[in-house]
């Protein structure tokens, strides 16, 4: 029962991977060029750079800039408020060094390519209380290689990442950029507060949204856009066999009416566990040669049935149904209103079957262990890490789990 979920943090990395190493379009010489200023869509920061840069698609990420220049230089510049990091999968970021490691995993190693980087002198940037800079090479999975400069900086309220890459004539070009680069932190936007119903929807699949690097304060985790639509369609077809609205609706219906919950209950019935204690079941499994993974799967179903009866691991199925409805909207299979209408029906069903966020999420975690074979007590397992992430998200100031479980869910769109 291996994972079907794609880590959507590589969506951001795809911007860099698509832009890197496109080849130099200009000569080696770097002519003197006037500075131009570019501002993030959110208004969070601006940068001044020599020459004319073209702004590319950022897949709806308003605090990220994707820039390219006719001479082959590329740039990705990103800002993240310190309070935003947990919802973006950066729950362990407590220092600038932590942020650099987080950004490295998000954009570079293990995502788009691999890098070989050495410490280098930082650019002095206005407002930064600390900076880390690296220079080196980056190699894509197809073997294409180029030069790379990265600087991470910290202000009182946010962390920033600035990356520049190129190939031919790189040394002269990056020297000009380093000499002339200007940065200004502007008005950091307050996170938008969603209506309680929409926050409730987001909470129902907040763990996978956070794991995938999405924003817990945006319906479905991302702003819609052409690159998001393409990426979502690719993921849905590859991991779910969903290619259109009809196949999406069929998949959601299967999760809502049967899913792994029906399978787990049948498994227990066929295994003759009725009337057994947990200790009896463990003894029986050991006697019959069940390996560790088989025991984890059986115990997950058994414990869930004892805790939630016929809704045993329905939390797992229903959470995924909710996420699929959001992804279907981003993929263009549903309009926003259609996706939210269908989410409302499923969310009301969840409210009827469980009594609290902890109950619902416990069922989800039982289901994840049943599906994956991951033992929740294994601190290296994804089952353990998902539960820990849930507890961390609950502690966020703007956590979607702060939405009352008994919220009167209603149409607010």
């Amino acid at each position: 029962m291996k994972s079907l979920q794609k880590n959507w943090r590589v969506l951001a990395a795809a911007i860099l991977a698509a832009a890197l190493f496109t080849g130099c379009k200009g000569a080696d010489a770097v002519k003197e060029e006037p500075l131009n200023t570019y501002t993030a869509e959110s208004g969070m920061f601006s940068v001044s750079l020599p020459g004319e840069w073209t702004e590319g698609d950022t897949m709806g990420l308003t605090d990220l800039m994707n820039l390219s220049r006719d001479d082959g230089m590329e740039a990705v510049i990103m800002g993240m408020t310190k309070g935003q990091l947990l919802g973006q999968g950066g729950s362990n970021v407590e220092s600038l060094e932590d942020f650099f490691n987080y950004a490295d995993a998000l954009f570079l190693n293990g995502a788009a390519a691999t890098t070989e980087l050495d410490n280098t002198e930082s650019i002095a940037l206005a407002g930064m209380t600390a900076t880390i800079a690296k220079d080196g090479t980056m190699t894509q999975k197809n073997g294409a290689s180029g030069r790379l400069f990265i600087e991470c900086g910290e202000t009182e309220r946010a962390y920033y990442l600035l990356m520049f890459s190129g190939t031919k004539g790189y040394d002269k070009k990056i020297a000009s950029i380093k000499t002339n680069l200007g940065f200004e932190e502007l008005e950091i936007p307050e996170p938008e507060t969603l209506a309680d119903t929409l926050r409730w929807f987001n909470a129902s699949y907040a763990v996978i949204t956070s794991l995938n690097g999405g924003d817990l304060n945006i319906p479905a985790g991302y702003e819609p856009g052409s690159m998001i639509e393409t990426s979502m369609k690719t993921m849905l077809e590859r991991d779910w066999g969903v290619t259109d609205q009809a196949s999406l609706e069929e998949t959601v219906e299967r999760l809502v009416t049967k899913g792994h919950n029906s399978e787990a209950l049948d498994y227990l019935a066929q295994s003759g566990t009725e009337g057994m204690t947990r200790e009896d079941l463990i003894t029986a499994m050991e006697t019959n040669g069940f390996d560790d993974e088989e025991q984890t799967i059986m115990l997950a179903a058994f414990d869930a049935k004892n805790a939630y009866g016929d809704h045993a691991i329905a939390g797992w199925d229903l959470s995924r149904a909710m996420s699929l409805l959001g992804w279907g909207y981003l993929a263009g299979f549903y309009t926003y209103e259609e996706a939210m209408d269908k989410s409302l029906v499923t969310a009301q069903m969840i409210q009827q079957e469980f009594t609290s966020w902890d109950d619902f999420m416990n069922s989800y975690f039982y289901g994840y262990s049943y599906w994956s074979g991951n033992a929740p007590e294994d601190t290296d397992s994804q089952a353990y890490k998902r539960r820990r992430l849930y507890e961390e998200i609950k502690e966020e100031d703007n956590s979607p789990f702060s939405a009352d479980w008994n919220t009167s869910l209603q149409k607010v769109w």
Side-chain angles (χ1 to χ4, degrees):
M1 296 184 181
K2 63 182 180 178
S3 173
L4 298 178
Q5 302 294 349
K6 175 180 173 62
N7 186 335
W8 285 100
R9 284 188 248 175
V10 300
L11 282 174
I15 295 174
L16 183 63
L20 275 174
F21 322 139
T22 55
C24 178
K25 301 175 187 175
D28 287 357
V30 179
K31 62 183 179 180
E32 292 296 323
E33 295 181 285
L35 292 179
N36 290 286
T37 300
Y38 305 88
T39 302
E41 183 180 341
S42 67
M44 179 180 178
F45 63 91
S46 67
V47 291
S48 297
L49 297 166
E52 294 283 346
W53 296 75
T54 300
E55 299 187 60
D57 195 339
T58 61
M59 300 175 288
L61 301 174
T62 60
D63 296 332
L64 187 145
M65 298 169 64
N66 174 27
L67 304 173
S68 61
R69 205 167 64 178
D70 284 345
D71 62 0
M73 291 299 291
E74 310 284 348
V76 173
I77 302 168
M78 176 182 72
M80 280 189 171
T81 62
K82 293 177 179 179
Q84 180 186 8
L85 277 162
L86 181 58
Q88 296 286 344
S91 57
N92 295 321
V93 174
E94 297 179 353
S95 66
L96 180 59
E97 185 174 354
D98 288 340
F99 177 74
F100 180 88
N101 293 333
Y102 164 71
D104 183 43
L106 181 71
F107 281 90
L108 306 173
N109 291 299
T114 57
T115 59
E116 293 184 11
L117 300 171
D118 295 313
N119 293 327
T120 191
E121 184 177 355
S122 297
I123 305 169
L125 298 175
M128 298 290 182
T129 58
T131 55
I132 294 174
K134 306 273 186 178
D135 213 347
T137 60
M138 180 175 183
T139 303
Q140 290 182 298
K141 293 179 181 179
N142 64 5
S145 181
R147 299 282 300 283
L148 189 68
F149 171 79
I150 304 173
E151 179 158 327
C152 287
E154 178 179 6
T155 68
E156 182 180 346
R157 297 178 293 172
Y159 293 107
Y160 292 92
L161 170 74
L162 300 91
M163 294 192 293
F164 297 91
S165 63
T167 52
K168 188 176 181 182
Y170 171 83
D171 287 335
K172 291 181 180 178
K173 296 170 186 175
I174 196 64
S176 173
I177 290 170
K178 288 181 178 181
T179 299
N180 294 288
L181 176 65
F183 174 89
E184 183 178 4
E185 183 175 78
L186 303 173
E187 186 70 27
I188 293 184
E190 292 294 327
E192 181 181 354
T193 300
L194 293 176
D196 286 347
T197 295
L198 296 177
R199 290 173 64 233
W200 204 103
F201 290 179
N202 282 4
S204 71
Y205 55 102
V207 168
I208 191 63
T209 299
S210 187
L211 283 171
N212 290 340
D215 190 330
L216 298 177
N217 293 303
I218 298 176
Y222 298 94
E223 297 288 352
S226 59
M227 290 186 71
I228 281 287
E229 181 175 327
T230 299
S231 298
M232 286 292 175
K233 283 180 176 176
T234 299
M235 180 275 290
L236 287 170
E237 181 174 6
R238 184 195 63 232
D239 295 346
W240 291 89
V242 167
T243 57
D244 52 21
Q245 185 183 102
S247 56
L248 176 59
E249 291 183 345
E250 180 182 344
T251 302
V252 171
E253 178 69 14
R254 184 171 67 250
L255 288 171
V256 168
T257 58
K258 293 183 179 180
H260 284 116
N261 187 57
S262 178
E263 175 188 297
L265 294 174
D266 288 345
Y267 180 40
L268 289 173
Q270 293 167 10
S271 300
T273 61
E274 186 69 30
M276 277 189 174
T277 66
R278 197 175 195 274
E279 291 71 24
D280 290 340
L281 177 57
I282 292 173
T283 299
M285 289 191 293
E286 290 174 346
T287 300
N288 286 280
F290 279 48
D291 62 26
D292 289 345
E293 182 175 309
E294 291 169 331
Q295 290 191 41
T296 294
I297 292 168
M298 176 66 83
L299 285 173
F302 183 84
D303 291 341
K305 176 68 161 58
N306 283 344
Y308 303 113
D310 289 342
H311 302 317
I313 62 170
W316 166 246
D317 295 321
L318 293 170
S319 174
R320 294 192 300 156
M322 290 291 288
S323 64
L324 278 172
L325 291 169
W327 296 341
Y329 152 62
L330 293 174
F333 297 146
Y334 291 135
T335 65
Y336 176 72
E337 184 171 9
E338 288 171 339
M340 295 303 102
D341 284 348
K342 293 177 182 295
S343 296
L344 180 59
V345 174
T346 303
Q348 290 170 337
M349 179 184 301
I350 294 171
Q351 267 189 332
Q352 292 170 2
E353 295 188 3
F354 298 94
T355 62
S356 68
W357 284 120
D358 282 347
D359 275 351
F360 174 64
M361 292 305 299
N362 283 338
S363 175
Y364 170 91
F365 293 126
Y366 282 134
Y368 180 78
S369 288
Y370 173 82
W371 175 70
S372 66
N374 277 195
E377 62 273 12
D378 178 2
T379 57
D380 291 326
S381 74
Q382 283 299 314
Y384 177 87
K385 292 175 182 177
R386 286 190 182 214
R387 179 174 286 278
R388 187 181 66 179
L389 180 56
Y390 166 57
E391 297 297 336
E392 291 173 347
I393 295 172
K394 284 200 299 183
E395 297 301 316
E396 282 191 271
D397 290 340
N398 199 31
S399 171
F401 291 112
S402 62
D404 191 319
W405 174 261
N406 295 312
T407 292
S408 177
L409 301 175
Q410 53 192 299
K411 187 165 181 171
V412 293
W413 45 88

